[in-house]
Amino acid sequence: MDTIFTLLMVLIMVASVLLVIIVMAQNPKGGGLSSTFGGASSAQFGVQRTNDFMEKATWTLGGTIIVLILLSVVITGKPSQVAPGQQPVKKEAPAKQSAPASSKTATQAQAPATPAK
């Protein structure tokens, strides 16, 4: 189970780094790589497809990260099962304490007996 969790964490990290790279390559105003290759006209050399690819890659990687995270939670969220040869650890109940003596008997034992007149 630890191997699967480690594999999922590595995949999540790789997808996250790729997502950061793709998002940083995009220009928020629509330029990005397409303005680098195409200049003013984004129809030259098929540069218009660069924006489509970047957008699809962003959504795909984002969805992949979400699916991998949910999958890791489902796999690791199950309670662990005890192996057949092992006994579960039993907790002992605390020892019962005796009730404290009532205040009447405590004061009678402390107070000295007064002689009767």
Side-chain angles (χ1 to χ4, degrees):
M1 178 125 130
D2 289 332
T3 308
I4 295 172
F5 182 74
T6 305
L7 178 66
L8 287 173
M9 288 299 112
V10 169
L11 289 174
I12 290 170
M13 286 188 263
V14 168
S16 298
V17 169
L18 289 174
L19 182 64
V20 167
I21 291 170
I22 288 177
V23 168
M24 294 299 286
Q26 295 177 8
N27 188 355
K29 294 184 180 176
L33 288 178
S34 64
S35 66
T36 303
F37 295 126
S41 172
S42 41
Q44 294 177 348
F45 305 112
V47 178
Q48 183 63 34
R49 292 186 166 262
T50 304
N51 283 339
D52 293 339
F53 170 75
M54 298 287 247
E55 185 177 352
K56 287 179 183 176
T58 302
W59 284 105
T60 303
L61 284 172
T64 302
I65 291 171
I66 291 172
V67 168
L68 287 173
I69 289 172
L70 290 175
L71 188 63
S72 69
V73 168
V74 168
I75 288 175
T76 59
K78 294 180 183 175
S80 61
Q81 297 177 352
V82 178
Q86 296 177 348
Q87 294 288 335
V89 178
K90 295 181 181 178
K91 294 183 181 179
E92 293 183 18
K96 292 185 178 181
Q97 297 178 354
S98 60
S102 65
S103 61
K104 219 178 207 187
T105 56
T107 55
Q108 288 174 353
Q110 290 176 358
T114 55
K117 290 187 183 182

